[in-house]
Amino acid sequence: MGLISEVLMLPLAPARGGAWAIRQVLQEAERIYYDPATIRAELARLEELLEAGEITEEEFDEQEDALLDRLEIATRTGAGQGDGTAQR
């Protein structure tokens, strides 16, 4: 039965392959998004922007809260374990 279903599903192979590729890209993007090292780097850059006067204290607080929420999710779920770069 497996061989017959594979033959019948063969015309859908490009779509299935495309869906697999999209899932892989989304997983990698999520891993980087929730990587604690990436979030800490963004927090440091945000502080630099504040010190340079490029953003207001209110903008800093708003963006910092969002980054700290991401960091909390990352540490709670173990998401994004890596160095913030794509692995080959």
Side-chain angles (χ1 to χ4, degrees):
M1 192 68 147
L3 180 60
I4 293 172
S5 64
E6 286 298 317
V7 170
L8 293 175
M9 299 295 282
L10 194 57
L12 299 176
R16 289 188 341 210
W20 176 85
I22 290 170
R23 281 194 306 275
Q24 297 303 310
V25 169
L26 288 174
Q27 286 175 354
E28 183 65 12
E30 186 175 87
R31 187 191 65 77
I32 292 170
Y33 183 77
Y34 286 110
D35 180 38
T38 301
I39 298 169
R40 287 186 191 97
E42 289 181 34
L43 283 167
R45 175 70 179 133
L46 188 61
E47 190 170 338
E48 291 172 3
L49 291 173
L50 178 65
E51 290 173 1
E54 296 181 30
I55 60 172
T56 65
E57 186 76 35
E58 185 178 293
E59 291 170 321
F60 174 82
D61 290 339
E62 187 178 302
Q63 292 177 31
E64 181 188 41
D65 287 343
L67 288 170
L68 291 175
D69 288 344
R70 267 177 49 199
L71 185 59
E72 181 182 344
I73 291 169
T75 55
R76 188 170 4 113
T77 62
Q81 298 301 316
D83 62 359
T85 60
Q87 304 243 337
R88 292 186 186 244

